[in-house]
Amino acid sequence: MMSLSPSKRANLRDVARAADVSVATVSRVLNTPEKVRKETRKRVEEQIRLLRFVPSAAARAFSTGRTRVVGALVPTLDNAVFARVLENLENGLARRGLALVVATTDDDPIVEAEKAQQLVNIGAEGMVVTGITHNKAFTKLLDRAELPVVAISYYDPSYHIPTIGYDNRESARLAMDHLCASGHRKIAVLHGPLHFSDRTRSRVDAIGAMKTDAELHFFHTDVSIEGGVRAVQQMLSAPVEFDACLCATDVIATGVLFELQRQNIKVPDDISLMGLDDLPISSFTNPTLTSVRAPVQQMGLQAADALADWIETGSRPQAICLPVTLQARQSTHQR
């Protein structure tokens, strides 16, 4: 058996030399073992074991022309919604023999285009993006690279990229319908930045367009616990006594709940509180948070299957709209 220095990692040529076969034969044993004679395959596999050879992704890409890598572009990892989507996306891709590389964009189209180029540079075979707001540089890159790409967290069957998500407008309408049907007429709507986030923009637009006799007041804040805290301070300084608070995400709603409790304002006795997305924590706050559930786990899995099929067969997926559902809990009540 040939020996290697302790610091030298065995490569394809080392295995071929030790097994007295060609480099191409070692490659076939790794990638299409059924095409190699049993005796030869056994000899190569034995040397792989003895040399502790681990195929590198770069070497495999060179021999097969494939990286089996998929890229995902999300606004942030500091949000349970995206964390749950990515977990299910990765699990779904792994079942199809694909690896996931994640990049964050901070909901900035310029950053997104730069990160997308980096994913293309490392050989991503497909890409998952968030929403449908993308700049020209990003669109040109995708056209030039001819990559399979799906957009998540948004549903628009007319968009030039297949969308696999849910109707953000419907999610907001469900929340408003619940509050209005419960007798609330002075509602504070708390939301994050509108400029880059088409998901937030769709939700806020839907609320503003609804025909209702409720008095609505809109407050802009950060999508964070701290943002929810600051939004309560804005609400309390307004010349209105609100009977309900609708937050465009449960992240903001959680901060609102903490600050209302700190201010000795009872939920829902003094004010009802509602969120959107239905994060796992929303079932365990005190009181538990009424929300509208976004099907993020199912979305991650369906996006994985759709993209894997597109990569493997060239079959472009259809847009998929997943249902949102009201989760009525303790933080809202009938007035």
Side-chain angles (χ1 to χ4, degrees):
M1 182 189 83
M2 68 176 292
S3 62
L4 299 170
S5 66
S7 61
K8 186 177 186 300
R9 176 180 172 181
N11 59 37
L12 215 61
R13 288 186 176 83
D14 295 325
V15 175
R17 194 178 304 118
D20 194 23
V21 297
S22 68
V23 170
T25 298
V26 177
S27 180
R28 280 194 294 271
V29 169
L30 292 170
N31 297 299
T32 55
E34 70 281 358
K35 295 182 179 180
V36 183
R37 286 191 307 165
K38 184 177 181 182
E39 297 78 7
T40 303
R41 187 171 70 243
K42 279 188 160 183
R43 193 162 75 250
V44 171
E45 289 173 344
E46 176 66 7
Q47 291 306 319
I48 287 173
R49 184 184 66 80
L50 291 172
L51 294 174
R52 298 180 181 178
F53 170 67
V54 179
S56 72
R60 181 160 294 185
F62 182 78
S63 64
T64 65
R66 296 197 58 186
T67 61
R68 304 198 70 83
V69 167
V70 169
L73 294 163
V74 296
T76 178
L77 296 177
D78 191 24
N79 185 316
V81 170
F82 296 116
R84 291 163 70 201
V85 171
L86 290 173
E87 179 183 11
N88 286 275
L89 178 64
E90 183 175 34
N91 289 340
L93 290 170
R95 288 201 293 266
R96 305 294 294 271
L98 297 167
L100 181 66
V101 176
V102 178
T104 58
T105 67
D106 198 28
D107 256 332
D108 185 331
I110 296 175
V111 174
E112 180 183 58
E114 293 170 350
K115 296 289 184 74
Q117 181 65 69
Q118 293 171 11
L119 291 172
V120 170
N121 291 346
I122 67 171
E125 296 187 23
M127 210 175 292
V128 176
V129 299
T130 307
I132 62 171
T133 300
H134 311 285
N135 68 10
K136 289 182 180 179
F138 177 83
T139 303
K140 287 181 179 179
L141 171 64
L142 297 189
D143 289 343
R144 188 169 64 250
E146 297 184 338
L147 278 183
V149 180
V150 298
I152 59 171
S153 299
Y154 205 98
Y155 173 70
D156 182 351
S158 67
Y159 193 58
H160 66 93
I161 295 172
T163 56
I164 299 175
Y166 44 89
D167 188 338
N168 287 273
R169 298 179 68 87
E170 175 62 16
S171 180
R173 284 191 291 260
L174 273 177
M176 273 294 295
D177 284 343
H178 177 71
L179 290 177
C180 291
S182 299
H184 298 88
R185 292 297 179 267
K186 293 186 182 297
I187 302 173
V189 180
L190 313 182
H191 61 83
L194 301 175
H195 186 48
F196 292 137
S197 176
D198 43 39
R199 288 86 62 206
T200 301
R201 197 161 56 245
S202 292
R203 295 175 183 191
V204 172
D205 287 349
I207 293 169
M210 289 185 68
K211 293 182 179 179
T212 173
D213 59 356
E215 182 181 331
L216 304 180
H217 293 259
F218 293 82
F219 298 90
H220 170 273
T221 189
D222 295 329
V223 182
S224 64
I225 301 293
E226 183 181 356
V229 170
R230 288 199 301 270
V232 170
Q233 295 163 358
Q234 293 180 58
M235 285 169 48
L236 295 181
S237 65
V240 180
E241 187 171 336
F242 296 105
D243 56 31
C245 178
L246 170 56
C247 301
T249 170
D250 284 12
V251 175
I252 295 174
T254 303
V256 169
L257 177 62
F258 292 162
E259 180 62 11
L260 288 174
Q261 291 173 335
R262 193 180 73 83
Q263 298 273 2
N264 294 317
I265 298 172
K266 295 179 181 179
V267 176
D269 294 347
D270 297 329
I271 186 170
S272 284
L273 176 62
M274 181 155 196
L276 294 173
D277 291 330
D278 192 33
L279 300 182
I281 193 176
S282 302
S283 297
F284 300 98
T285 56
N286 184 23
T288 54
L289 181 66
T290 296
S291 188
V292 175
R293 178 172 296 167
V296 294
Q297 293 166 299
Q298 187 182 0
M299 182 174 67
L301 292 172
Q302 293 217 20
D305 282 337
L307 193 57
D309 286 342
W310 195 355
I311 291 170
E312 300 293 344
T313 69
S315 176
R316 179 187 174 96
Q318 298 294 316
I320 298 173
C321 186
L322 301 168
V324 293
T325 53
L326 176 70
Q327 306 297 311
R329 300 193 181 101
Q330 299 169 344
S331 68
T332 55
H333 71 159
Q334 188 75 34
R335 293 193 68 80

